[in-house]
Amino acid sequence: MDWIQTVVLALIQGLTEFLPISSSAHLILPSQLLGWEDQGLAFDVGVHVGSLAAVVFYFRDDVARMLCAFFASFRGQKSIDGNIAWLVIFATVPAMVFGFLMNDIIDHYGRSMLVIAGTTIIFGAVLWWADAKRTEVKALSAITFKEAMLIGVAQAIALIPGTSRSGITMSAGLMLGFDRQSAARFSFLLSIPAISAAGAYKALELVQTATPAQWEFVAGGVVLSGVSALACIHLFLKWLDQVGMLPFVIYRFALGILLLCVYFMVPAI
């Protein structure tokens, strides 16, 4: 790696992890268009740590309340924060099961540019439909077990590259009647165990393979992905009600078409 590659990939990870535009669709472009080699497991773990630190820091008050309420629930104390904490845990299970069962298949068949282009466009259309037909009759405090699990199943589908974890979970939330802020908030809270699990899995791979790493670039990736992700979360939630999902839908369509053009112009990809 070099510093240009470090900066570009860390910023892509930080900016696209929480926007509904698919990080995998963006991460494939530099390698295919610029011929960059794989950045390595250590760097992957590092940028995941940066993204995780950003979302935990931004929602630190929510996380603290949920943790306290979660442990209080064992003493029979019920609360909205405790309920949301439990639902975040339960809603994470489908993605973990799906990932365990389908990881090899997804790695083998799902990471082609054609697949990523298709899912970028298809789930961009789903996001557009969900936002256009939203009713916004529910707040996050009213979420039920069934609704949380449906969003969790949507998150499992996002293991298919190009889908966008944040995009499909927000789409599911909007379809279930939640307002934009509540759909986005639950999506971001749900990302904490999801990113933690992904980072832990990659860290385990790193330990098992004992792959050498360029730690200065890893450290730079942690910082850049964390700062960019923090700014991204803040601005997205600030502007969400004003701009809605349409700009991201248009961007996804444009990106998907670009990927298709690259794929058919360079058949060997």
Side-chain angles (χ1 to χ4, degrees):
M1 292 187 71
D2 57 33
W3 279 110
I4 294 177
Q5 187 176 356
T6 298
V7 170
V8 170
L9 294 177
L11 289 177
I12 287 175
Q13 169 67 24
L15 293 174
T16 61
E17 179 68 40
F18 299 106
L19 292 179
I21 55 176
S22 174
S23 59
S24 57
H26 288 78
L27 288 169
I28 195 176
L29 280 173
S31 62
Q32 298 290 359
L33 298 181
L34 302 176
W36 286 351
E37 294 182 2
D38 185 85
Q39 62 269 24
L41 280 172
F43 188 83
D44 281 345
V45 172
V47 294
H48 275 81
V49 169
S51 299
L52 178 62
V55 69
V56 170
F57 179 79
Y58 189 87
F59 291 104
R60 59 193 180 278
D61 293 337
D62 300 67
V63 171
R65 288 197 309 271
M66 287 166 60
L67 282 174
C68 291
F70 171 77
F71 290 112
S73 68
F74 290 102
R75 301 191 299 270
Q77 299 177 20
K78 296 182 179 181
S79 66
I80 291 174
D81 288 321
N83 181 58
I84 293 174
W86 276 107
L87 293 181
V88 166
I89 293 171
F90 286 129
T92 303
V93 173
M96 295 184 69
V97 173
F98 186 74
F100 178 77
L101 295 176
M102 303 297 290
N103 184 65
D104 291 341
I105 295 175
I106 291 172
D107 276 344
H108 188 71
Y109 296 105
R111 299 192 181 280
S112 76
M113 184 174 287
L114 183 60
V115 170
I116 293 175
T119 51
T120 298
I121 293 171
I122 291 168
F123 289 103
V126 171
L127 180 64
W128 169 79
W129 185 88
D131 194 48
K133 299 297 183 180
R134 73 190 188 282
T135 56
E136 296 193 305
V137 296
K138 299 177 186 176
L140 183 55
S141 57
I143 190 169
T144 65
F145 177 81
K146 179 181 178 180
E147 291 165 343
M149 292 304 293
L150 287 172
I151 296 173
V153 170
Q155 179 172 248
I157 296 172
L159 291 172
I160 302 171
T163 302
S164 171
R165 192 209 62 81
S166 59
I168 195 169
T169 52
M170 282 188 261
S171 295
L174 292 170
M175 289 179 191
L176 290 168
F178 291 96
D179 60 78
R180 284 171 171 164
Q181 288 290 332
S182 293
R185 202 170 194 84
F186 191 71
S187 172
F188 290 148
L189 291 173
L190 199 56
S191 75
I192 295 174
I195 297 174
S196 299
Y201 179 77
K202 289 179 179 292
L204 181 62
E205 280 189 299
L206 178 63
V207 170
Q208 290 176 337
T209 57
T211 306
Q214 297 170 291
W215 293 108
E216 67 275 21
F217 297 130
V218 174
V222 172
V223 174
L224 284 171
S225 64
V227 171
S228 58
L230 187 62
C232 176
I233 294 169
H234 174 71
L235 294 175
F236 179 76
L237 290 175
K238 181 180 179 180
W239 294 335
L240 179 58
D241 288 330
Q242 285 114 357
V243 303
M245 298 295 185
L246 185 58
F248 304 104
V249 172
I250 294 172
Y251 180 83
R252 286 184 68 124
F253 286 164
L255 177 62
I257 292 170
L258 172 62
L259 291 171
L260 287 174
C261 290
V262 172
Y263 179 83
F264 287 109
M265 286 172 61
V266 188
I269 293 177

